[in-house]
């Protein structure tokens, strides 16, 4: 199995993308196809890097962050994200990874791979650290406005992702709301609650923002507008906490001595909060594995995103979602928009 990597996507492309891909190939023994401007990619590679594990597919065009995703994907057939998606569609690669425009990655996946039958809107499954391990949140930014049946589908896909990738026997799924009672929430939240209750998954009811980090829930369901704000607020908070901590430590000699002694613990704490450790987020609901990374992904994040891609393929994630959606019977078949 090979993983196609969009070498031109991201703030630090192609340098960090190439570096992370080489690290992934070496650490996981997994062949990687770098897709992008061949000349620029080769500048970042050593001769030994191309020794059977790294190959290049030339794609001279790049879709910028400010371009309209759907329009750009249709016009730029030789862009790195479009060519990487084609490699998956044609079976040349088992999955793709991109740190470029999220909109372009989504548009390319939808147009190139298509949706799984029964899924109206694919969702991004983000991951956040919790006291007990990890919490999956979806949608993390793919869909700003959602209807109840969209959130129902997100809950099913999130349940399967947590089960297949994180090895949880019966993941707990919660609906993000402003209170635990089933009477709390906006119109959409109130409407989707009974649907999730009948979905045949381990739905534990409404959860609040604080529950994301306590470990009381494994999968949190919300629309992409809220999910994206949650993720970015958490990233900003983590960065600010470390900056404030360094600032306070620098003011005290004794604190600096204590920091040296506590270095192993602080290093472990920082690792748990570092988004790069989790690599990328899968776009669930499309007919193929597409991993979307943070735009500022470093080599470490790219390396771990390739790992996530491999795990998703190895665990037949697409087949699991397809089978569950096809077999699911909810209130007379209300899995999608049609009654």
């Amino acid at each position: 199995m090979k993983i196609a990597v969009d070498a031109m996507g991201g703030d630090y492309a192609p340098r960090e993308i190439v570096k992370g891909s080489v690290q992934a190939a070496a650490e996981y023994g997994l062949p990687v196809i770098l897709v992008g401007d061949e000349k620029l990619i080769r500048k970042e590679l050593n001769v030994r890097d191309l020794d059977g594990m790294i190959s290049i597919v030339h794609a001279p065009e790049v879709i910028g962050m400010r371009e309209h995703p759907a329009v750009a994907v249709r016009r730029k057939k030789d862009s790195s994200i479009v060519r990487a998606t084609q490699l998956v569609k044609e079976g040349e690669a088992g999955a793709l990874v991109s740190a470029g425009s999220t909109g372009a990655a989504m548009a390319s996946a939808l147009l190139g791979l298509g949706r799984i039958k029964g899924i109206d809107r694919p969702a991004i499954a983000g991951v956040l650290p919790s006291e007990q391990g990890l919490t999956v949140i979806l949608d993390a930014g793919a869909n700003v406005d959602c209807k109840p049946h969209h959130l129902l589908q997100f809950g099913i896909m999130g349940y399967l992702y947590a089960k297949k990738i994180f090895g949880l026997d019966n993941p707990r799924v919660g609906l993000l709301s402003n209170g635990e009672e089933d009477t709390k929430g906006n119109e959409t939240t109130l409407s989707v609650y009974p649907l999730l209750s009948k979905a045949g998954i381990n739905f534990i009811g409404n959860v609040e923002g604080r529950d994301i980090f306590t470990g009381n829930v494994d999968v949190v369901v919300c629309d992409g507008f809220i999910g994206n704000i949650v993720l970015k607020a958490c990233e900003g908070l983590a960065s600010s906490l470390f900056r404030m901590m360094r600032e306070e430590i620098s003011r005290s000699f004794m604190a600096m001595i204590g920091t040296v002694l506590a270095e192993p613990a602080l290093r472990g704490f920082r690792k748990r909060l570092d988004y790069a450790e989790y690599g990328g987020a899968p776009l669930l609901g499309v007919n193929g594995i597409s991993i979307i990374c943070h735009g500022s992904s470093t080599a470490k994040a790219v390396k771990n995103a390739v790992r996530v891609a491999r795990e998703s393929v190895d665990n037949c994630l697409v087949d699991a979602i397809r089978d569950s959606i096809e077999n699911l019977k909810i209130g007379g078949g209300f899995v999608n928009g049609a009654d």
Side-chain angles (χ1 to χ4, degrees):
M1 176 182 63
K2 297 179 179 180
I3 304 297
V5 177
D6 172 10
M8 311 311 293
D11 298 341
Y12 306 118
R15 176 173 44 87
E16 289 295 308
I17 310 301
V18 172
K19 184 179 177 182
S21 298
V22 170
Q23 291 175 358
E27 186 169 332
Y28 308 131
L30 193 64
V32 173
I33 305 172
L34 291 170
V35 186
D37 189 310
E38 184 171 4
K39 184 178 180 181
L40 295 178
I41 292 173
R42 286 190 180 277
K43 283 184 178 180
E44 305 298 333
L45 286 169
N46 296 316
V47 175
R48 64 177 181 275
D49 293 334
L50 292 168
D51 188 21
M53 299 300 291
I54 302 290
S55 57
I56 301 173
V57 169
H58 182 55
E61 296 180 305
V62 178
I63 294 178
M65 299 297 288
R66 297 185 180 278
E67 294 186 72
H68 188 283
V71 173
V73 164
R74 288 188 174 93
R75 287 180 179 175
K76 294 185 173 182
K77 301 296 184 183
D78 280 330
S79 63
S80 53
I81 183 61
V82 172
R83 291 289 290 117
T85 305
Q86 287 176 343
L87 291 174
V88 176
K89 182 179 182 180
E90 295 165 0
E92 296 296 320
L96 71 98
V97 171
S98 177
S101 163
T102 298
M106 285 180 52
S108 184
L110 286 170
L111 293 172
L113 303 175
R115 291 188 294 265
I116 293 173
K117 184 179 179 181
I119 296 295
D120 294 308
R121 294 189 183 181
I124 299 173
V127 176
L128 288 169
S130 77
E131 293 177 23
Q132 305 300 320
L134 299 172
T135 301
V136 179
I137 181 168
L138 74 167
D139 180 20
N143 307 279
V144 175
D145 296 306
C146 294
K147 295 181 179 179
H149 67 275
H150 297 143
L151 296 181
L152 168 61
Q153 293 169 9
F154 298 168
I156 296 166
M157 292 191 293
Y159 174 84
L160 291 168
Y161 181 64
K163 187 172 185 177
K164 288 285 184 177
I165 303 303
F166 299 129
L168 301 177
D169 290 333
N170 194 24
R172 298 160 297 173
V173 180
L175 179 63
L176 191 60
S177 188
N178 63 332
E180 295 180 355
E181 302 86 353
D182 58 7
T183 55
K184 290 290 183 70
N186 57 23
E187 184 177 344
T188 301
T189 304
L190 292 171
S191 297
V192 76
Y193 191 103
L195 299 179
L196 285 167
S197 299
K198 301 174 185 177
I201 59 178
N202 186 16
F203 178 58
I204 62 172
N206 286 345
V207 295
E208 299 179 81
R210 60 173 173 262
D211 295 311
I212 295 173
F213 307 101
T214 60
N216 295 330
V217 63
D218 302 306
V219 178
V220 174
V221 178
C222 60
D223 63 49
F225 180 79
I226 294 173
N228 192 258
I229 290 174
V230 169
L231 281 181
K232 290 180 178 176
C234 292
E235 289 173 7
L237 175 61
S239 298
S240 295
L241 281 174
F242 280 112
R243 283 195 295 269
M244 288 187 284
M245 189 182 299
R246 284 196 298 266
E247 192 175 300
E248 291 299 321
I249 290 171
S250 66
R251 294 176 180 174
S252 167
F253 178 70
M254 293 302 294
M256 286 189 280
I257 294 175
T259 301
V260 173
L261 297 174
E263 178 62 26
L266 291 172
R267 193 163 49 242
F269 178 64
R270 187 183 187 93
K271 184 176 181 179
R272 289 180 67 179
L273 295 182
D274 186 3
Y275 75 86
E277 294 291 336
Y278 308 108
L283 180 62
L284 302 181
V286 293
N287 249 322
I289 303 299
S290 176
I291 307 298
I292 297 175
C293 302
H294 201 293
S296 58
S297 290
T298 58
K300 180 168 70 172
V302 173
K303 181 194 74 172
N304 286 319
V306 172
R307 172 183 53 77
V308 172
R310 182 193 64 180
E311 291 172 349
S312 299
V313 174
D314 288 346
N315 286 284
C316 304
L317 185 58
V318 172
D319 290 337
I321 293 173
R322 183 185 296 112
D323 292 344
S324 292
I325 293 297
E326 287 179 354
N327 296 330
L328 193 60
K329 301 296 181 184
I330 301 175
F334 186 57
V335 182
N336 51 40
D339 290 271

